[in-house]
Amino acid sequence: MGRRSGILEFAVLGLLRESPMHGYELRKRLNTSLGVFRAFSYGTLYPCLKTLVANGWLTEEPGNTTEDAVAAPLAGRRAKIVYRLTAEGKEHFEELLSQTGPDAYDDEHFAARFAFFGQTSRDVRVRVLEGRRSRLEERLEKMRASLARTRERLDDYTLELQRHGMESVEREVRWLNELIESERAGRVLQGPASGGSGSAQQDTTSGTTGGLPRSGDSSRPDTPDDTAT
């Protein structure tokens, strides 16, 4: 499994743990809530869904809402497919949540892992945050060493770009330090109020509530792309 496809499978399982969804709704949530998935298409999502179904982690069900029942005959197409997490899928996702290896600290995977910290136990959250901080501190040390070696050979613009990159890493390290301190102190991470039914205050003791933050509805109209193929 490729790294990016693995991240996508993780995110899909996490979203479906919250509630069953159509493919279109899944894509919209992935696009708006996780920047790492903004450029992916249905041609990426549906093979992933088919793989998860084949593995027994998801089931496919016909849409049963009034809107689906009316829209499908009028549009001359089949009703949307709803994807639902199975018991095996939930167990697999919880296993993925417990992992704290190097993949959890990588730039793309860390964003996905962090988005589901509301469903992750506190001890795992701390280990992932500490791993990410260690990775960035190593990166920062290398950047500083490289800048010290090449400073005299760089023009002003290249030098400014190097400094900007270092400052970005330094800011993230400070942010991680604050998060780690909050986790260790058992403080609840406060975020913007959400009007969606899926909003929940993070429980820093059990780490079992919450989920991927809901975003506002997309301005794009629905499309027939998430019908069965």
Side-chain angles (χ1 to χ4, degrees):
M1 179 192 303
R3 175 172 296 180
R4 188 170 176 81
S5 63
I7 299 171
L8 178 58
E9 290 186 7
F10 172 84
V12 167
L13 290 172
L15 285 172
L16 291 177
R17 188 187 186 194
E18 180 181 318
S19 65
M21 296 184 198
H22 301 135
Y24 171 76
E25 185 179 2
L26 267 171
R27 182 173 184 262
K28 182 171 67 174
R29 292 285 305 279
L30 288 164
N31 281 339
T32 57
S33 301
L34 284 175
V36 67
F37 296 115
R38 284 178 184 161
F40 91 108
S41 64
Y42 286 108
T44 302
L45 176 60
Y46 282 101
C48 171
L49 290 170
K50 294 298 183 183
T51 297
L52 295 176
V53 170
N55 288 339
W57 297 331
L58 300 183
T59 59
E60 295 178 320
E61 303 173 358
N64 56 8
T65 64
T66 302
E67 179 184 354
D68 288 339
V70 173
L74 291 177
R77 59 183 174 86
R78 290 170 289 179
K80 295 178 181 178
I81 296 298
V82 173
Y83 296 90
R84 184 183 300 274
L85 196 66
T86 65
E88 293 80 5
K90 181 179 180 181
E91 182 179 349
H92 178 63
F93 179 68
E94 290 173 350
E95 180 183 344
L96 294 176
L97 279 180
S98 69
Q99 295 178 3
T100 59
D103 283 349
Y105 321 147
D106 289 341
D107 293 345
E108 289 189 347
H109 207 161
F110 175 73
R113 286 299 303 268
F114 190 83
F116 292 97
F117 263 21
Q119 302 182 39
T120 307
S121 64
R122 184 197 298 171
D123 62 325
V124 172
R125 292 197 299 261
V126 171
R127 288 200 296 272
V128 172
L129 291 171
E130 289 177 337
R132 176 65 175 173
R133 180 178 63 181
S134 177
R135 177 69 57 83
L136 290 181
E137 287 174 339
E138 292 175 3
R139 183 181 302 173
L140 191 57
E141 183 177 349
K142 291 178 180 178
M143 293 173 72
R144 287 169 174 162
S146 175
L147 183 60
R149 291 193 305 268
T150 60
R151 180 187 299 271
E152 300 302 325
R153 300 194 300 270
L154 299 177
D155 62 48
D156 290 343
Y157 293 101
T158 304
L159 184 61
E160 188 62 27
L161 185 61
Q162 295 267 351
R163 288 172 176 165
H164 174 70
M166 288 176 54
E167 289 172 359
S168 297
V169 177
E170 289 169 346
R171 283 195 299 270
E172 186 171 349
V173 170
R174 290 195 296 270
W175 174 68
L176 290 167
N177 285 336
E178 293 171 359
L179 288 173
I180 292 169
E181 181 181 352
S182 294
E183 292 287 352
R184 289 175 173 168
R187 294 195 293 268
V188 174
L189 184 64
Q190 298 289 349
S194 171
S197 60
S199 62
Q201 187 178 55
Q202 179 175 311
D203 181 348
T204 56
T205 301
S206 64
T208 57
T209 62
L212 190 62
R214 291 185 182 275
S215 301
D217 289 340
S218 170
S219 60
R220 293 181 304 169
D222 201 349
T223 66
D225 289 334
D226 60 333
T227 56
T229 56

